[in-house]
Amino acid sequence: MRDPAVTFLVILVIGIAAGLLFDRLAGPSWLARQFSGSSRGIITSALVGIAGAFIGYHVAVLLALGSGLVMAAIAAALGAAAVLFAWRMAK
C-alpha cells in the first residue's frame, strides 16, 4: 500500500509543475499581461494545476484505474492538463 503523504506530495508537485509549465507555454508573456491588464498570474496557474491534479487523481481512484504511484502521477498530470485547458478556454 502507498503512503498517503508521498501520494499527496507527488500530486502537489505535479500540479505545481503543470501550472508553471502551462503559464510559460500557453499563457501570454509578462509584457503582454502588463498591457492587457490580465489578472492571471503564475500563482493562479499553479493553484489551478494543483486543483486539476487532485481532480484527476480522485477520478482515477473512483474509476479504479490503478493503485500504483505511477498511475497516480499519470492521472494527476492528465487531470491538471484538462483543468488548465478548460480554465484557459473559459477565460
Side-chain angles (χ1 to χ4, degrees):
M1 179 159 232
R2 295 191 304 264
D3 184 20
V6 172
T7 303
F8 175 78
L9 289 176
V10 167
I11 292 170
L12 190 67
V13 168
I14 288 172
I16 291 171
L20 296 177
L21 185 64
F22 180 82
D23 189 64
R24 288 289 166 207
L25 296 178
S29 67
W30 176 84
L31 186 60
R33 277 188 257 146
Q34 297 308 311
F35 285 119
S36 68
S38 176
S39 62
R40 292 187 206 166
I42 199 164
I43 301 297
T44 306
S45 294
L47 291 173
V48 172
I50 292 168
F54 278 100
I55 290 170
Y57 169 74
H58 286 292
V59 167
V61 167
L62 287 173
L63 296 176
L65 295 178
S67 62
L69 190 60
V70 174
M71 183 55 75
I74 292 170
L78 291 174
V83 170
L84 283 164
F85 180 74
W87 177 65
R88 171 132 179 156
M89 290 295 116
K91 291 285 181 175

